[in-house]
Amino acid sequence: QDQVDLRMTIWSANEAHLAMFNEIADGFAELHPGVTVTFDSLPFDSYTTTLTTQIAGGNAPDLAWILETTAADFVNSGALAPLTETFAATEGYELEDVTEQATALWRADGELYAYPFSTSPFALFVNNDLITEAGAQTPAELIAAGEWNWDNAIDIAATVADTGANGLIVRDFNYQIWQNLASIWRGWGTDPWSEDGTTCTFADAEMVDAMSFIHAAIFETGAMPGPGENVDFFTGDAAMTITQISRASLLPQGDEAFDWDLVPLPSGPAGNYSVIGQAGIGAFGMGDNVDMAVEFLAYLSNPENSAKLAQFFPPARQSLLNAETLGTTNPLLSPQQLENVVVAGITNGVVLPGHAGFAEIQQVARAELDALWQADADVEAVLTSVCNRITPML
Amino acid sequence: MASVTLSDVKKSYGKAEVIFGIDIDIADGEFVVLVGPSGCGKSTLLRMLAGLETITGGTIEIGDSVVNDLEPKDRDIAMVFQNYALYPHMTVAANMGFSLEHRRVPRATIAERVQWAAGILGLEPYLERYPRQLSGGQRQRVAMGRAIVRDPKVFLFDEPLSNLDAKLRVVMRGEIKALHQRLKTTTVYVTHDQVEAMTMADKIVVLSGGRVEQIGAPLELYDRPANRFVAGFIGSPSMNFIEGQMGADGFEANGTILPCPPGVPVGTRAVYGVRPEHFTIAPDALTAEILIVEPMGSETLVTMQLGETSMIGLFRERIAAAPGQTLGVSIDPARVHLFDAETGGRLT
Amino acid sequence: MASVTLSDVKKSYGKAEVIFGIDIDIADGEFVVLVGPSGCGKSTLLRMLAGLETITGGTIEIGDSVVNDLEPKDRDIAMVFQNYALYPHMTVAANMGFSLEHRRVPRATIAERVQWAAGILGLEPYLERYPRQLSGGQRQRVAMGRAIVRDPKVFLFDEPLSNLDAKLRVVMRGEIKALHQRLKTTTVYVTHDQVEAMTMADKIVVLSGGRVEQIGAPLELYDRPANRFVAGFIGSPSMNFIEGQMGADGFEANGTILPCPPGVPVGTRAVYGVRPEHFTIAPDALTAEILIVEPMGSETLVTMQLGETSMIGLFRERIAAAPGQTLGVSIDPARVHLFDAETGGRLT
Amino acid sequence: MTVAAKSSSPPARKRPFWTMERRDSLAGYLFIAPQMIGITVFVLIPLGLVFWYSLHEWNVLAQTFRFQGLGNYQTLLSDPGLPQVLGATAIFSVGLVIFNMGLALLLAVLLDQKLKGITLYRTLFFSPVVVSLVAWTIVWGFLLQNNGGINALLATFGIEGPNWLRHPTTAMISVIVVQVFKNVGLNMVLFLAALQGVPRELYEAARVDGTPAFKQFTRITLPMISPTVLLTSIITIVGSLQVFAQIAVLTQGGPGMSTTVLVYYLYQQAFQFHKFGYGATLSILLFVVVAVLTFIQWQMRRKLVFYEN
Amino acid sequence: MKTDLSPRMKVLVYGLMSVLLIPFVFPTWWMVTSSVKPISDIFAFPPDIVPTRFDFSTYGRVFELQPFAQQYWNSAYIAALVTAGTMLFSSMAGYAFARIRFPFANTLFMILLIGLLIPAEVTIVPLFQIFLGWDMINTHWPLILIPIFGAPSVFATFVMRQFFIALPKELEEAARVDGLGRFKIFWTIALPLARPALGAVAIFTFLHSWNLYLEPIVFLSSPANFTLPQALTQFTDAYGGALWNVQLAAATMTALPVLIVFIIAQRQFVEGLAHSGLKG
Ligand SMILES: Nc1ncnc2c1ncn2[C@@H]1O[C@H](COP(=O)(O)OP(=O)(O)OP(=O)(O)O)[C@@H](O)[C@H]1O
Ligand SMILES: Nc1ncnc2c1ncn2[C@@H]1O[C@H](COP(=O)(O)OP(=O)(O)OP(=O)(O)O)[C@@H](O)[C@H]1O
Ligand SMILES: [Mg+2]
Ligand SMILES: [Mg+2]
């Protein structure tokens, strides 16, 4: 077999990640002598810039990690090679094990264009110390009482905020990445646009309610830190944070440790719901080694290697979604937490909103939404203007 | 206008003493020239007068008040710098009026004063020009104009002509002189050109190494230099010096006997000084061998060997002789200077 | 060593003509001085000789070959610049040896030549110094050293002494003269100082506005200037000029009759020229009013009013008279110059 | 020896082709050749390519590269975001230039004094220039938070500070200030050099003339260093139009579009939205803006700047 | 204005400078001290001005997580090459534009100045294509060639030209008479005398290359080839979060040598610029 060098861009420069990927690459090379795979670590902040420059410059990598925010763009652009056929033909791949739910974002016309190697549910980390100190009921108690809903959750946050600490943080939202607020507004059963992506629903009544709820939490009760205030849950400064479970590693240990808990998102007016964040790997369709790249991707995501990946990245494979598998790689979490939060979350979770041309829509909406993050904002008017601006792009 | 008095003025930069206690009295309206070799402290002294350098000892009085601690602007002096220090970005008129602007002088008065100064200095056609558009002599005049508009008590000049060429220097020298005669402002003028010093000064102060060597009227310094340093410094070409000792028939030096005035005891070791212009041609007197002949039209400069010393003579006639030939010269004993061999002080 | 011939040499910068066709013959070993007022083209001419400027017309020959299109390095000339142009980053020895290095001269020979030149110029103690560590006169000598090590056919000097002070200028003048006497290399020397021109030149070329005014030996120019320009240019202080016309008893100007040589028809309009040093004091001759008196030791410069003209007289005696008083002066008719009133050409 | 020119002209000689002028011209071209070739390959040709791209609809991901003439330029004219972007760019550049130059000048004047330890001060003021941009921006992002260091400091004086990065005005100010503190050291050094080139006799003359210190500064120092002021202002304006990383980290162009300057907008269009053709068009616009501004400044120099020769 | 200040003015000037210094020095101080703080102390509020707990292990980890020594070397040698190349080519071009008369000199100079006006973001894609064509992606060539001929070099050429214009013409003429050709005049006379301007150019160029960010990220892909500013972005934990203290330790190590060079060279730098008569 000819010498083939595959190149894959990733945004992690972490040694452990690289070691794992190299191990998988070595395994692949044993099966296909003469094939090498190298992993280029690009800085996360400029990942898309660099990747785009490489593509524009005519030097696209063979494979690339793809952010969920750009998923729609990549999947719909035709830049990626179709995967379904090769995956299905690969022995022992068990394509059906990869849940329909988890691959929705990565399909176009039923064809799979990227493999979601990381599927991570949003959940609430809780600082029980702060909450009991403030004299509120802990989420665990509320769950037990069957009263774990957003009204109560935000009350806890407000109570804690009154003591001088902070209430609830939507991690990475920072008043910029507004799509992370999906972890709240899905409780109202709403989304920025309709399922087919053609109608803006930002100004719908449910969304207005949800956003008003968030606005009140920020500016009336102070349950959420305001814009321009950086607070970190993991240093023990806040009662709760919505984030992906992979952040469990940030929990402090030793002196700084506090009594923490991991609970599912509270229910909203529309009932229970789950949200997941994803990252995928795609193979570019324009290279010389497309087939080999797709084959490598199939190898990388087969059950055996998926299990390896699961130590860092929650899997999309049903067979791996159980407390035992996840427990070996997430020793911090109790089986109960894994079952209730992770397995349930991934199984039922809906990915964050996405759309073709999402980056631009995101920016435009971001700019419009800035008007919302003022104490005296008119929620409905702002959301209407968001819709006005983004409707032409849908 | 005012008198200026320096009493025991001293200056040191850190540990380095530069001026060692100087006393000078300058009368109201007087034109005093400071001369001396490079580095002797002329500029430093002038700048102390101006207030641009602090003084480390003594007092300076202008008029009746001690100005030691006054800012330059409060001393009511004006200074002309060696390279003029014209503001290159202002027109001639602006340069001249600049100092008045900050003294709350009304615009009309400024214009009038500038016009007056320009009139005196023949600068009217150039008022709207920039310094770079002027010739050296014109720039020099602007610098003077800047000084005179303010009608200060004292003018200070630091080698104002040294950047000009020979012909222009002569012209500007005349202009400064005329200006002084007209304004009668007390003036302190620094130069290292002794022709300037001789022709301009009411009084010359010869400095050397931070000390005063002699103060006096120009001809006084020429005729009776207080010491060998002054004798060599004043007069061009310089005085010829020969070491030797007093003999019975005259001054004995390197095997020649030179005519010399009476009054110095025989046997005294001394330095004999005679100016180049005080040789005259006389066939039966001393015999000198001609080394170089430089005819200059009305005068001839001859470098000649007298005994074992080479001397320069300046003669008022054409000398046809060629190098190698001999020339008979005589010296008028009355014009000979004798200095102490050790201290350099004047003996006669 | 070689002769130099300029035939109809012209130069223009774009449309501006600067040199209008100049012919000069310089004999082998001759010392020629170019003088003239600022901007008359002295430097341009010298630089064309050196090959630093292209020539727009005519031919320049050095020795027997036309050098019009030769690079400076191929002309075998050496040049001393006004500000010396010493390489500041090289020692004195390196500066002097530099030109030889690029001519594939063996190291030993270079060292020998540098040593030889340093010996002649008294530079041995300074060979390892950098130019900034030298005084003005020493720098000047290094510049000369750089020129002589190569033993070129022609030396070119562009105002080499103008940056030195008066005393040093006299000394260096002597040294250059001595050097020329020793090496006998053909030399072209530019200056605007007419004392230098008079004392150094075998032959002076007076330039004005890009044209030759007169070529001749120094005293020839002093005694018989070809025209008013040369007369005014040579001699210091400058010749006095009075316009008027020939009368029966002498030259009539502004109501005075001045003595004058015969040979010019009565009634001719002319310019009368007399040098300051050619006045003598004579109580019963012309009467002048004294304006300024400048004593200089052995001489006295007097600005005086004769008729309606102000003139400068240089007297060999002390003059005690004060401004406002009168002075009797006489003029030797033999020393008077007469020039055509229109063309300025010499009449007698 | 006669004065008159000889009437016979010298025999016409054939001049060689390689005259002194021609040889020198050749030398000149050889000297500039490396740089000119470099500029052609690494600046001019890329710039030409950018222009070529701007005539295309180019979506990088979709692999579309379709010639459409001036279509992108029409889009440019009707781009609803553009007026705001240009406004923000103008405010940013003007604010930055004024603040930068003013501060640089103040520092240079202070650092031009004869004082002990002045070298240390110079170095400290210069130090941000060499500090990593990433670290610098992080710290400032941290300081500028609503509950950050600056407002904490203001609170000790009883002032309630604004939410710096979240109000259009203060966000713009913040971005400018952070950028200026980072880079003002370079201009400071340029000014310091210029100040040291002003002949000290001018100040002495002014002192003797009784000119007050402030007037000395405005009437002598400023005109004397005006050529440097012009040059640095050109460099600073050109630089200000290229500021990108700080904005990306501190405000991401917000709030609203208030800090979305042209180069950031260009970056978004090309690299985030993958519209390369339009990005190229914005690049051309940016280049034209820079060139025009520079040209205007250059033209104004005769009026505002004093030249000695 | 360089006169001795009165004691009162001195106090005033020192006071003013010290206050102004705060925003300049605090971030750097924070960077340096945070690099030895445990990560949980870095974002503590209010921040500790002087660290209370020290953790120097970060400096060790910098070298464990990345081939930092190699990256240091990359940055250093690239910056050195760029500096040397810029000094050579810019001084050559600057010399010619200042000193040699040839047709179209002014036009060519104006064209050259365009290089000063173009932001890196504008031409990065075409440049990428060009270097891809030359097979130089993931090599250091783009980082060496682009700065030598791009915007900073144009600035350097400008500075050198200004300097050479001010250099006395007679020196060159003396050299011509002494028998030198153009290149030798440039090399043995003009260049040695341009030391002050070259010093300023060197510092500018070095700093620019040392801090280059966009180009390395676009052109380099393997960690062994990375330069320092790029390496700084790579200190992350298993989930992509920044290891702040390690990153800041690396940032400190990146800044310090340059700061030290500036302290040593700043006089030369300032005087070099003063000599070059940097005027528009
Ligand atoms: N700032 C200073 N620090 C130390 N020494 C100084 C300073 N300024 C001048 N000097 C020294 O003081 C002495 C007198 O200097 P000054 O400038 O007054 O000389 P000068 O007579 O004006 O000479 P010149 O004719 O060359 O102008 C010199 O030896 C000089 O080195
Ligand atoms: N490069 C040039 N371009 C245009 N004109 C020039 C140039 N160089 C010199 N000139 C003009 O040529 C004339 C002669 O100049 P040159 O330098 O030869 O005068 P000079 O006699 O040496 O004067 P100085 O005594 O002042 O040195 C002057 O009028 C001058 O303006
Ligand atoms: Mg002095
Ligand atoms: Mg000249």
Side-chain angles (χ1 to χ4, degrees), chain A residues 76-328:
Chain A
N76 292 324
S77 68
L80 299 176
L83 305 174
T84 316
E85 198 181 321
T86 314
F87 281 10
T90 303
E91 210 176 313
Y93 189 83
E94 298 169 30
L95 182 56
E96 60 290 347
D97 188 28
V98 182
T99 64
E100 187 76 17
Q101 186 96 358
T103 51
L105 188 58
W106 310 93
R107 287 178 192 277
D109 302 330
E111 177 71 43
L112 186 65
Y113 282 98
Y115 174 80
F117 72 101
S118 173
T119 301
S120 190
F122 283 84
L124 266 160
F125 281 94
V126 178
N127 184 332
N128 282 333
D129 286 347
L130 278 181
I131 294 174
T132 39
E133 229 170 85
Q137 277 189 295
T138 61
E141 292 162 354
L142 288 169
I143 292 173
E147 288 171 10
W148 182 229
N149 57 39
W150 267 114
D151 288 336
N152 290 330
I154 216 74
D155 281 347
I156 297 175
T159 311
V160 173
D162 285 343
T163 67
N166 286 282
L168 171 76
I169 300 164
V170 181
R171 193 173 170 90
D172 293 335
F173 160 51
N174 261 340
Y175 297 85
Q176 307 268 10
I177 315 292
W178 51 264
Q179 64 268 30
N180 282 4
L181 291 179
S183 55
I184 298 178
W185 72 52
R186 290 262 169 84
W188 275 254
T190 183
D191 247 329
W193 40 78
S194 59
E195 199 124 324
D196 60 3
T198 53
T199 324
C200 175
T201 56
F202 248 119
D204 289 3
E206 293 84 9
M207 184 58 97
V208 173
D209 286 349
M211 284 298 202
S212 300
F213 175 80
I214 295 169
H215 190 269
I218 297 166
F219 295 101
E220 283 164 34
T221 60
M224 292 168 75
E229 291 174 24
N230 275 10
V231 189
D232 193 4
F233 170 83
F234 294 100
T235 57
D237 293 337
M240 297 178 283
T241 187
I242 299 179
T243 187
Q244 289 165 282
I245 59 141
S246 42
R247 306 291 177 159
S249 66
L250 295 175
L251 286 163
Q253 274 139 22
D255 296 352
E256 318 265 297
F258 50 82
D259 173 23
W260 62 272
D261 196 1
L262 178 70
V263 298
L265 297 171
S267 64
N272 286 323
Y273 65 101
S274 303
V275 179
I276 52 177
Q278 285 192 318
I281 303 177
F284 283 96
M286 50 258 195
D288 296 332
N289 304 309
V290 182
D291 293 343
M292 190 53 76
V294 173
E295 221 167 294
F296 176 68
L297 188 48
Y299 178 77
L300 179 80
S301 59
N302 69 22
E304 188 193 340
N305 285 324
S306 287
K308 284 183 194 159
L309 290 172
Q311 59 183 303
F312 298 110
F313 311 109
R317 278 182 180 271
Q318 200 69 53
S319 60
L320 296 173
L321 273 182
N322 52 64
E324 299 95 89
T325 317
L326 295 169
T328 53

Side-chain angles (χ1 to χ4, degrees), chain B residues 13 16 18-19 36-45 53 82 158-159 190 192:
Chain B
Y13 290 106
V18 172
I19 304 279
S38 188
C40 71
K42 304 182 294 293
S43 297
T44 308
L45 200 57
E53 302 277 356
Q82 177 168 357
D158 193 358
E159 311 203 14
V190 166
H192 61 245

Side-chain angles (χ1 to χ4, degrees), chain D residues 86-109:
Chain D
L86 290 179
T89 310
I91 295 173
F92 179 76
S93 291
V94 170
L96 185 117
V97 168
I98 292 174
F99 184 48
N100 188 333
M101 306 279 287
L103 186 61
L105 205 54
L106 173 67
L107 292 178
V109 168

Side-chain angles (χ1 to χ4, degrees), chain C residues 42-43 82 158-159 190:
Chain C
K42 305 181 293 294
S43 297
Q82 178 167 357
D158 192 357
E159 311 204 13
V190 166

Side-chain angles (χ1 to χ4, degrees), chain D residues 24 29 34-35 39 42 53 112 116 119 121-123 130 138-139 147 186 190 203 228 235 276 298 307, chain E residues 1-2 14 18 30 45 100 103 125 129 131 149 153 155 157 182 204 207 244 259 262-263 266 278 280:
Chain D
D24 224 29
Y29 289 124
Q35 173 125 54
I39 280 287
F42 298 113
Y53 301 157
D112 191 32
K116 277 217 182 69
T119 312
Y121 278 99
R122 278 187 201 170
T123 308
V130 302
I138 292 166
V139 179
N147 54 353
L186 284 174
L190 292 175
Y203 296 117
T228 307
I235 295 175
F276 253 78
W298 194 245
Y307 284 93
Chain E
M1 304 256 262
K2 293 243 303 269
Y14 275 124
S18 303
W30 184 85
F45 186 81
I100 304 180
V125 168
Q129 293 180 323
F131 281 102
F149 298 107
S153 82
F155 181 67
T157 304
R182 269 297 177 190
F204 260 116
L207 274 180
W244 287 118
L259 215 52
F262 180 77
I263 293 171
Q266 62 108 2
L278 201 65

Side-chain angles (χ1 to χ4, degrees), chain B residues 315-336:
Chain B
F315 300 96
R316 267 85 198 243
E317 45 264 291
R318 298 273 163 91
I319 292 181
Q325 297 183 316
T326 59
L327 189 67
V329 295
S330 77
I331 301 168
D332 175 0
R335 295 191 135 165
V336 164

Side-chain angles (χ1 to χ4, degrees), chain B residues 171-182:
Chain B
V171 176
M172 292 309 302
R173 197 167 83 197
E175 294 200 6
I176 295 177
K177 197 79 208 269
L179 194 71
H180 180 250
Q181 269 167 15
R182 176 165 175 172

